[in-house]
Amino acid sequence: MFLSLHFAARSDVGLVRSNNQDSAYAGPHLLVVADGMGGAAGGDIASSIAVGRLAALDGESHGPDEALDELKEAIADAHAQIVQRAANDPELSGLGTTVTALLRAGSTLSMAHIGDSRGYLMRDGILDQVTADHTFVQHLIDTGRLSAADAEHHPKRSMLLRVLGDVDADVPVDISVRETRPGDRWLLCSDGLSGVVSRDTLEHTLAEVSDPGDCADALVSLALAAGAPDNVTCIVADVVDIDASDGVGPSTASQIVGSVARDRHRPTAGGNSAAGKAARLSAREEVEEDEEPSRGSSTWLKVRPWMLPISALLVVVVGAWGAYLWTQKQYYVGSDGIDVAIYQGIPQDLPLVDLHTMLENTNVPVASLAPYQQQRVESTIRAASLEEARAIVEALDSSNAGEPITTPEPSSSASPDASADPDASADPSTSPTTGADATDASAGDA
């Protein structure tokens, strides 16, 4: 039995975004999806760097013992390159990217994951999510504070706790080794797909559309029909036994899509669809409403010109008071110099006016957090309520799970120490396993 991959990769800018910050690569040995962040001038760069570095692993077959080390080393290099790019260009400060990657080695797949892009495995008609989202909302779900249904509409659902790049510090990446079987179907996707298409619809489409290319096209079309507020990127890959494939051979030519393929401004495939037309019409109506002058405003000014200075002063006073009241309904997590603290207000001050007050000292030393968490706390993390601020403190502390990716020294390219047993595999029917411990699960139960 000789196993290989039959795959297809697709990416679309969506119906709202003006550029594509996603990148993806699919090849005989490697599948990877990256969703960039950091604004129009940063997200596409970060995802392109990550995919470009990982794509080098697709050149040849990998032994089970070497695949995991090579994957971890490539991710560490990508992290270092992203951080260096941001250091060289202050306008790119804060850029980062998610990464979900599978590297094939014989009958196993080495997986690396960070962020909220997802990996799904369909086996025997059952779809399982085998990655865990590194988001604040997922932490609330894991701790029983939020239901999965409520999470779909939570205002902080896009708040990431971990990404590649972003800060110059070690970042934990989930690492695992998984068994492959003929008939397995893998889906890697950005949250532009999983965020708008339900799990049941994903499962149904993956089961019903047999060809990977047709299936990937169908999934993108579903996201566009749902409004596609974000870039949409996915890879569909089937594990096939060449000796028993009945003429259905594996894909051989690699596929590169998204910003890494230099098509960040490529028009959306949904541009002429009903959803695309509706999105453009809605945007045009909003602009027209903003530009429409108030009726009778010129007459009002001509009749009462002496009221203009008074009205302007009144507007300034009321606006300033309203702005102050608004600041006192805000919360954020920051540092008091030693410990993590929760503040009410915003992290700025005006002459003679304090816009923030410390509510709670959590007694959690900032120095006890991971380096990348320390930088997030020092730069402050906004929260919508006191309860949410407390949850953020807990989430920061608990997100230290996973395997840290150490940025290599400039003079050395040594790979991070392997801490996973590549002969073991995780059970895809159970909850996603975090970190190198995922490799301790039994391959026979997968």
Side-chain angles (χ1 to χ4, degrees):
M1 181 173 64
F2 184 78
L3 300 182
S4 189
L5 296 175
H6 183 35
F7 53 81
R10 300 289 187 270
S11 186
D12 193 284
V13 71
L15 298 177
V16 176
R17 298 291 180 89
S18 60
N19 67 304
N20 196 344
Q21 299 188 39
D22 290 356
S23 294
Y25 178 95
H29 306 287
L30 177 74
L31 310 173
V32 55
V33 167
D35 183 354
M37 53 170 277
D44 60 302
I45 294 174
S47 67
S48 297
I49 289 174
V51 171
R53 175 60 183 89
L54 288 166
L57 300 178
D58 194 41
E60 58 184 48
S61 299
H62 304 269
D65 295 335
E66 296 83 18
L68 200 63
D69 288 341
E70 292 175 354
L71 185 59
K72 290 190 289 185
E73 180 179 2
I75 289 179
D77 288 344
H79 175 67
Q81 290 178 30
I82 294 171
V83 171
Q84 185 62 44
R85 184 64 178 270
N88 294 337
D89 187 347
E91 293 185 358
L92 299 180
S93 177
L95 85 165
T97 184
T98 71
V99 171
T100 301
L102 288 170
L103 180 63
R104 186 174 67 85
S107 61
T108 64
L109 289 170
S110 296
M111 171 174 271
H113 169 71
I114 185 169
D116 64 350
S117 295
R118 290 183 178 179
Y120 294 91
L121 171 61
M122 172 167 277
R123 175 174 289 173
D124 299 327
I126 305 299
L127 184 66
D128 286 300
Q129 181 183 335
V130 297
T131 56
D133 295 344
H134 299 143
T135 61
F136 173 61
V137 164
Q138 184 61 47
H139 170 75
L140 295 181
I141 295 174
D142 294 340
T143 56
R145 301 180 186 181
L146 191 68
S147 68
D150 292 338
E152 295 179 0
H153 308 288
H154 195 281
K156 294 285 187 179
R157 61 185 178 276
S158 298
M159 177 181 171
L160 293 170
L161 295 178
R162 287 191 246 164
V163 293
L164 206 63
D166 189 28
V167 293
D168 186 9
D170 297 344
V171 290
V173 176
D174 293 351
I175 299 291
S176 60
V177 177
R178 301 185 178 275
E179 174 203 21
T180 58
R181 298 180 186 176
D184 283 354
R185 169 164 279 191
W186 284 90
L187 168 65
L188 305 186
C189 65
S190 64
D191 66 334
L193 175 64
S194 59
V196 297
V197 179
S198 70
R199 181 193 183 98
D200 290 343
T201 301
L202 292 176
E203 184 175 54
H204 175 77
T205 306
L206 289 166
E208 292 296 320
V209 185
S210 59
D211 180 74
D214 292 341
C215 186
D217 287 334
L219 292 172
V220 171
S221 295
L222 288 169
L224 293 172
D230 199 355
N231 308 143
V232 185
T233 301
C234 66
I235 296 173
V236 177
D238 294 335
V239 179
V240 297
D241 180 2
I242 295 180
D243 297 332
S245 60
D246 296 329
V248 180
S251 307
T252 55
S254 60
Q255 300 179 24
I256 307 172
V257 297
S259 62
V260 70
R262 302 180 184 274
D263 62 352
R264 61 188 294 257
H265 292 293
R266 182 179 181 179
T268 175
N272 294 322
S273 66
K277 293 176 181 177
R280 290 195 301 273
L281 178 61
S282 176
R284 185 162 58 248
E285 288 176 346
E286 290 178 1
V287 171
E288 290 174 353
E289 289 178 0
D290 291 340
E291 293 178 349
E292 182 180 357
S294 301
R295 295 181 179 177
S297 59
S298 59
T299 302
W300 187 87
L301 290 176
K302 291 178 181 179
V303 174
R304 301 176 179 86
W306 55 269
M307 293 185 65
L308 182 59
I310 298 177
S311 299
L313 179 60
L314 182 61
V315 168
V316 171
V317 172
V318 172
W321 178 247
Y324 175 77
L325 293 179
W326 175 84
T327 66
Q328 300 312 296
K329 295 180 181 179
Q330 309 303 307
Y331 299 85
Y332 68 91
V333 176
S335 170
D336 67 354
I338 298 177
D339 295 331
V340 177
I342 296 175
Y343 292 84
Q344 180 179 17
I346 59 175
Q348 287 91 27
D349 281 326
L350 296 174
L352 306 179
V353 179
D354 292 333
L355 297 181
H356 61 267
T357 304
M358 187 171 73
L359 293 182
E360 295 181 4
N361 185 319
T362 65
N363 294 320
V364 176
V366 174
S368 69
L369 302 177
Y372 76 100
Q373 291 176 330
Q374 294 180 29
Q375 294 190 30
R376 288 185 181 274
V377 170
E378 293 293 346
S379 60
T380 73
I381 304 174
R382 300 291 181 90
S385 65
L386 179 58
E387 179 181 355
E388 184 174 288
R390 291 168 175 165
I392 288 174
V393 173
E394 181 180 341
L396 286 170
D397 190 40
S398 66
S399 68
N400 285 317
E403 178 163 331
I405 289 296
T406 304
T407 302
E409 296 293 336
S411 60
S412 173
S413 59
S415 63
D417 294 337
S419 59
D421 180 5
D423 294 329
S425 63
D427 186 348
S429 63
T430 61
S431 299
T433 307
T434 303
D437 293 341
T439 61
D440 294 333
S442 171
D445 295 333

